[in-house]
Amino acid sequence: MSTTTEVIAHHWAFAVFLIVAIGLCCAMLAGAWFLGGKARGRYTNTPFESGAPAVGTTHLRMSAKFYLVAMFFVIFDVEALYLYAWSTAIRESGWIGFVEATIFILVLLAGLVYLVRIRALDWAPAPRRVVVKPTTISHSNRHTQ
C-alpha cells in the first residue's frame, strides 16, 4: 500500500465526522431559513422586555467598580477551579503539592486582604463626613441655694 492510502485509511473516521458535522450545520441553517417566521411589522425589530416597551436609551454609563468586582469574581473563580483540579490529584502530588497549594492559597488571601483594605469591593458610595464642632459647656450658671 502507498503512504497516501495508509493515511486515508487511518483517518477515514475523522473525515466522515467532519463531513457529517458540516452537513448537519448546513441542514439546520437551511431548515431555519425555510421554516422561520417571515413576519415584518411595525414593532418587529424593537426591543421588548417584561411585557412593556422599552423606555429611554440603552446606553447607560456603568461605574468602574462594577467591572472591578466582575474581574475579581472571574479571577477568584478561576483560582477555585485550579484548586478543585488540584484536590482531585492530591494523592499523586504528595506533600510538595500540598505546600505549593498552601502557598497558592496564601497568595490569594493576601490579594483578597489587599482588595478589602483599599476598599475595592465596596459598592456603596463613600459616607459623607460631617464635622461636628465640640460645644463648650459653661459651668458659671450654677444654681445656688
Side-chain angles (χ1 to χ4, degrees), residues 31-52:
W33 187 76
F34 283 120
L35 300 175
K38 304 278 192 281
R40 300 283 182 234
R42 183 176 179 184
Y43 295 107
T44 301
N45 294 326
T46 59
F48 188 75
E49 186 165 332
S50 302

Side-chain angles (χ1 to χ4, degrees), residues 83-99 101-102:
L83 287 174
Y84 178 75
W86 168 80
S87 69
T88 59
I90 191 168
R91 290 189 180 154
E92 290 84 10
S93 62
W95 283 105
I96 294 175
F98 179 75
V99 170
T102 304

Side-chain angles (χ1 to χ4, degrees), residues 2 8 18-19 22-23 29 46 53 59 61 92-93 114 122:
S2 68
I8 291 173
L18 280 179
I19 292 169
I22 291 171
L29 288 172
T46 59
H59 301 288
R61 295 181 68 94
E92 290 84 10
S93 62
Y114 173 74
D122 287 345

